[in-house]
Amino acid sequence: MDTFLPPLTPLLSDWMHEALADRAHLGELFERHGSPLNLHHLGPFGDNYRAYAGVLDAHALNHLVLFARKANKCQAFVQEAARLGFGVDTASYRELKQSLDLGVDPARLVLTAAIKERRLVELAVAHDVPIMLDNTDECALVERVAREQGKEARVGLRISGFTVDGERLYSRFGVPVEEAVSFVADRLPAEWPSLQFAGFHFHLNGYSRRERGAALLATIGCADALRDRGIETAFIDIGGGLLVRYLAEQAEWERFMVELRRAQRGEREPITFGNDGLGLLLIDGEVRGEPQVYPYYNESARADFLAEVLNYRAPGGETVAAMLRERGIEFRMEPGRSLLDQTGMTVARVAFRKRDSRGDLLVGLEMNRTQLFSSSADFLLDPVMIYHEHVAEPGRDRLEGYFVGAYCLEQDVILKRKMRFEQMPQIGDWVAFPNSAGYMMHFYESEAHLFELATNLVAAPGSTRFVPDEAYRPEVAGAQEIGDS
């Protein structure tokens, strides 16, 4: 039976190669901070922002890019956003408080939290941070807080329920788009007079450029209707969800999907732990559904993705970018994953090797599944193995197995995909999971078993030395050494 394991070769930045090649520095970091290490580099973060700003400037749009802080906990990214002059999208009290404490201009902050408790609203209103409203209960809370502080609160309205190609897009967030104009023009001044409308906000699930373009067009229509009633829309914010290209080759991605389906049909050996279909199901001999994974290869990603959204055309032929420019409406967006593209890498130590009850090789790592986990059913990039010494073994062409973690759970399998090893990993060898900064490191990370969270280390643009995130200071980054605090 076919035993071929399709590779998924990741794109790797130069800093990743350099960091993994500097074994002395990496070894000292492990000694100081344990395993796993979350390595971050700020160089690509600025590059990604500049690429977005270049597209927006080319369209002569007033714009504000806001880093979606929920995608990564490192405060160094907040400091770098402030240094480069763009903004931060905050979704909790601590995210907002920390951004303010780090000196981010409140005019370049936004509050989009799904749950807005009183102390969070009080903080936002006190600092004039725009609040994106989702429902009438939030409106009432912000109104009460604004009155107590004797202020007007600057707010935006989140809207949803856009119709694209005859289908209404579902979202649990926002008010229906068809109610947006009356909500702003009638209900806000009548029921919540302390709320000052500034703009619209939406956030679409999935990654369709066409849906974002259509939603942007519909939102411009709302702004036009409000203008007819004497109300100006200062900005429209399209949220995030701009695609990233993780993989070097499209053909590898396509081959993996073919082999995954073949494995589900029993036409070849499994390529995932327990022959997990990653969302595919075998029903009556047919493979059904779609893999519940991020699309790791995308030809149109990041700045190209944004350009396609802005070039979406209205029925009359005008692009949404031109319509925004003509109306003087500021374009806003909240990328997280795509601003973090190529900025991070998770590195762990090998703890043990064993065979499970099926005879599969398990390589235990000093980490757990929550430290490399998102809503995607698996992280589909080849890790980089760092072997400390050559070990000659017979039959190594069939040396295959799985990475498992430290939690006392059968499902603590760090990668569901089967790996092929050049040699038997030795205790103390290192495994690097590239491009993990966006949502993978922190979004679901837990402290079960009272394990400590992974240490976050940061290198400044142009630097190859990593320091703890809490010790990072942009003005002295070049002078810092390992472990400075």
Side-chain angles (χ1 to χ4, degrees), residues 153-206:
R154 193 163 186 254
V155 302
L157 182 66
R158 175 176 275 170
I159 55 178
S160 63
F162 302 100
T163 298
V164 181
D165 297 330
E167 180 181 352
R168 187 174 177 87
L169 304 182
Y170 171 79
S171 176
R172 75 180 182 94
F173 299 108
V175 303
V177 61
E178 63 271 15
E179 299 175 15
V181 174
S182 62
F183 196 102
V184 173
D186 301 323
R187 297 197 66 181
L188 277 184
E191 300 179 43
W192 310 292
S194 300
L195 308 189
Q196 180 187 19
F197 172 76
F200 287 112
H201 176 277
F202 63 82
H203 195 294
L204 300 183
N205 198 28

Side-chain angles (χ1 to χ4, degrees), residues 311-355:
N311 286 322
Y312 183 87
R313 294 187 179 275
E318 194 173 24
T319 66
V320 290
M323 296 173 72
L324 290 168
R325 186 171 58 248
E326 291 165 1
R327 290 158 175 78
I329 297 175
E330 182 181 65
F331 175 86
R332 294 187 175 190
M333 64 179 191
E334 300 159 3
R337 183 192 300 267
S338 61
L339 274 175
L340 294 167
D341 186 23
Q342 295 295 319
T343 66
M345 179 168 55
T346 301
V347 192
R349 283 189 299 222
V350 173
F352 69 77
R353 299 78 41 86
K354 66 168 289 185
R355 297 279 173 177

